[in-house]
Amino acid sequence: ILITKMNTLAWSRCPNLAKACAPQRRAAVQRAPVVQVRAERLHLGNLAPAHGSRRREARKGRGYAAGQGGTCGFGNRGQKARSGPGTRTGFEGGQMPLYRRLPKLKGICGGMGAGQPDFVVLNLDKLEGRFEQGEEVTMEKLKEKGFVRASGRRRNLPLKVLGDGELKTGLCIKAGAFSASAKAKIEAAGGQAEVVAPRRKWTKAGHKKQVEALKAAGKDYAVEKRKRRAEACQRKGLVNKKRSQAKKEKAAAK
């Protein structure tokens, strides 16, 4: 290595010498042997973390030999030098902390629900040529055919039809809302734009009224709820028909 450095220094000082010795240098480089270094195989005996990736934990309060001196690495008195939990995360001694000094964004950027969509949106060009004349279009049919993405939070949102594109087929569309242009185009094509009432939000007072109304009509709320659930499962094809038929026959025999 030392000889190579000295030769390089000499060639840099004598350009003519460097040009004359260039062929010999290239030949030496070409004849340089290639040494293949085989990596050591991993065994249980040589498994170890990479050098410098782990540091030993500081053993505070274990005497002078631990290396933190007389105060054990806690400093000279104060709340953080005492025993106990210390201060909470973000505490700045009583002054206004940073997370309260900074301005907050509104809507979805600030983590609130104001920027979340209120409807599952569908344009008229998605419906053209995909339904028969006079066919009824509902949210359930659109989900089955895969025209709308209604999973997660969107599965409970109502449908809103917008007016992008043209519609030449007369359809009976049932949705939670229509834009003015969409309604005009649907009616011009000979169809109907029917606004469906949104799903009622569950409240304790509303639930109490519903139970009282069923009780006044001589019905049990739990039985009616089971009936509605069974009907919904039957509509979706989630009911085992043989098993349900056997149950009906058993109940009739009793």
Side-chain angles (χ1 to χ4, degrees):
I1 295 170
L2 184 60
I3 294 169
T4 307
K5 286 183 179 179
M6 291 175 65
N7 290 340
T8 306
L9 184 62
W11 291 330
S12 62
R13 291 181 179 178
C14 304
N16 296 331
L17 180 62
K19 288 180 183 179
C21 297
Q24 288 84 355
R25 291 179 66 191
R26 283 196 293 271
V29 169
Q30 290 174 359
R31 289 195 302 270
V34 178
V35 180
Q36 185 177 4
V37 179
R38 295 186 62 184
E40 187 181 3
R41 292 187 62 183
L42 289 175
H43 297 285
L44 290 175
N46 60 6
L47 284 175
H51 180 69
S53 63
R54 304 238 174 174
R55 295 181 63 183
R56 294 186 66 180
E57 185 180 355
R59 299 179 68 248
K60 292 189 174 184
R62 297 296 182 273
Y64 285 98
Q68 288 92 29
T71 56
C72 305
F74 290 105
N76 291 309
R77 295 186 292 279
Q79 185 178 2
K80 291 185 179 180
R82 316 297 183 188
S83 64
T87 59
R88 67 176 184 275
T89 305
F91 183 69
E92 298 183 14
Q95 71 177 17
M96 187 65 69
L98 181 66
Y99 67 87
R100 291 187 63 190
R101 293 198 302 270
L102 294 176
K104 310 297 185 296
L105 297 173
K106 293 182 179 179
I108 189 171
C109 297
M112 311 303 287
Q116 296 286 350
D118 298 323
F119 295 96
V120 175
V121 178
L122 181 73
N123 284 297
L124 290 177
D125 55 359
K126 300 286 184 183
L127 302 175
E128 179 58 33
R130 294 175 180 175
F131 290 93
E132 300 294 330
Q133 179 74 24
E135 190 176 351
E136 187 178 84
V137 180
T138 60
M139 186 66 166
E140 287 72 23
K141 286 188 178 181
L142 292 170
K143 284 181 182 178
E144 286 175 10
K145 296 193 175 187
F147 293 156
V148 294
R149 185 171 66 87
S151 60
R153 180 184 175 275
R154 293 169 175 263
R155 70 183 184 278
N156 295 324
L157 295 179
L159 176 67
K160 183 173 183 178
V161 182
L162 303 181
D164 283 359
E166 295 296 328
L167 184 67
K168 298 176 182 178
T169 312
L171 301 173
C172 178
I173 303 174
K174 294 183 177 182
F178 294 88
S179 67
S181 60
K183 190 173 183 181
K185 288 180 181 180
I186 292 166
E187 292 173 351
Q192 294 179 359
E194 186 178 338
V195 178
V196 181
R199 186 178 177 182
R200 287 187 301 173
K201 187 177 180 181
W202 189 93
T203 58
K204 194 172 183 179
H207 174 71
K208 192 175 180 181
K209 284 182 182 178
Q210 187 181 6
V211 173
E212 288 174 356
L214 288 171
K215 198 172 183 180
K219 296 178 180 178
D220 186 17
Y221 172 76
V223 175
E224 294 298 320
K225 185 178 179 181
R226 279 198 295 271
K227 282 183 183 178
R228 288 198 304 270
R229 188 175 291 174
E231 289 171 3
C233 290
Q234 202 162 5
R235 281 198 308 271
K236 294 177 182 177
L238 302 174
V239 179
N240 190 337
K241 293 182 180 179
K242 291 183 179 178
R243 194 173 175 184
S244 60
Q245 188 66 26
K247 279 187 177 180
K248 285 179 183 178
E249 290 173 1
K250 193 174 180 181
K254 286 182 179 180

